[in-house]
């Protein structure tokens, strides 16, 4: 499986271990640039996908990972389906303070920066804290050239800092 799938599966497994819930819907963003005419166009074409797959604790980790790989592949094949149309068809109860379909987001950044060897400019990632969480809990993983970094964003009304620090430590232990 891909590194994205592996880390997503670990995140979901950790959510299961903490909550006891077997059924999760986790959001993932996709670039939305599959059509060749959009590749060089400026602007944001991001769409959110809802990933749902029930965890069966009786299955082996490898079987679980294989199911997640399959589930993510199906979702990515359908990534052009408009999120607003999905909302219209599902008609969930709307609350302006919450996302209507998922409470947690998994973001995997594996974009490389264009680098000109003759330029003195060297682009890099810079984390900006928006001071507000868009979801109850989000995990952003950034793939660098030789390593991974990650950060959790969380609703302070729901989680204490030490809870998230412990959660991050458990997440890291599962990755190792």
């Amino acid at each position: 499986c891909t590194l994205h799938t592996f880390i997503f599966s670990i995140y979901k497994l950790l959510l299961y271990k903490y909550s006891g819930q077997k059924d999760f819907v986790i959001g993932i963003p996709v670039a939305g640039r599959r059509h060749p005419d959009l590749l060089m166009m400026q602007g944001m074409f991001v769409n959110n996908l809802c990933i749902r797959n029930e965890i069966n604790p009786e299955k082996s980790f490898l079987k679980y990972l294989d199911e997640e790989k399959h589930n993510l592949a199906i979702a990515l094949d359908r990534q052009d389906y408009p999120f607003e149309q999905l909302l219209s068809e599902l008609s969930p109860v709307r609350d302006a303070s919450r996302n209507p379909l998922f409470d947690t987001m998994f973001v995997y950044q594996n974009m490389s920066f264009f680098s000109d060897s003759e330029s003195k400019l060297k682009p890099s990632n810079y984390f900006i804290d928006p001071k507000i969480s868009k979801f109850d809990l989000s995990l952003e993983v950034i793939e660098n050239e030789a390593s991974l970094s990650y950060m959790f964003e969380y609703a302070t009304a729901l989680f204490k800092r030490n809870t998230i620090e412990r959660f991050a430590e458990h997440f890291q232990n599962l990755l190792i």
Side-chain angles (χ1 to χ4, degrees):
C1 71
T2 64
L3 196 52
H4 175 273
T5 300
F6 178 75
I7 297 172
F8 175 84
S9 300
I10 294 293
Y11 178 57
K12 188 171 172 183
L13 194 58
L14 189 59
L15 289 172
Y16 160 70
K17 292 288 190 180
Y18 265 79
S19 70
Q21 269 185 255
K22 295 178 183 177
D23 191 8
F24 286 99
V25 178
I26 299 173
I28 64 167
V30 289
R33 291 182 179 267
R34 294 196 322 171
H35 193 278
D37 292 344
L38 299 175
L39 293 177
M40 299 306 289
M41 187 178 290
Q42 292 185 13
M44 211 159 148
F45 294 89
V46 175
N47 193 12
N48 291 323
L49 299 183
C50 303
I51 309 297
R52 183 179 187 182
N53 192 20
E54 200 168 309
I55 293 177
N56 180 347
E58 303 299 317
K59 291 183 183 171
S60 70
F61 179 72
L62 291 178
K63 178 71 175 158
Y64 161 69
L65 195 58
D66 190 50
E67 287 177 0
E68 286 299 332
K69 179 179 83 171
H70 178 72
N71 198 31
L72 282 166
I74 289 171
L76 289 170
D77 281 345
R78 298 175 182 157
Q79 68 177 284
D80 294 326
Y81 196 82
F83 188 72
E84 286 301 319
Q85 188 173 342
L86 180 63
L87 287 177
S88 175
E89 291 176 13
L90 294 176
S91 300
V93 176
R94 300 298 294 256
D95 177 350
S97 68
R98 307 196 57 74
N99 183 290
L101 299 179
F102 49 85
D103 296 321
T104 182
M105 176 71 94
F106 176 81
V107 180
Y108 188 84
Q109 302 279 3
N110 63 345
M111 298 178 298
S112 58
F113 287 110
F114 172 75
S115 182
D116 182 359
S117 60
E118 295 182 23
S119 173
K120 293 181 181 178
L121 296 175
K122 300 294 179 209
S124 64
N125 288 323
Y126 183 79
F127 175 71
I128 298 172
D129 185 358
K131 304 284 186 216
I132 186 167
S133 180
K134 295 172 228 45
F135 303 96
D136 293 351
L137 181 65
S138 298
L139 169 60
E140 182 172 359
V141 178
I142 300 168
E143 183 180 333
N144 301 309
E145 289 179 19
S147 65
L148 293 172
S149 58
Y150 64 89
M151 64 191 105
F152 286 97
E153 184 178 277
Y154 60 96
T156 55
L158 298 174
F159 301 101
K160 294 180 182 172
R161 181 182 178 100
N162 63 349
T163 302
I164 298 301
E165 286 172 351
R166 195 169 50 251
F167 189 84
E169 186 179 317
H170 292 151
F171 175 72
Q172 191 163 335
N173 287 342
L174 284 173
L175 287 175
I176 299 172

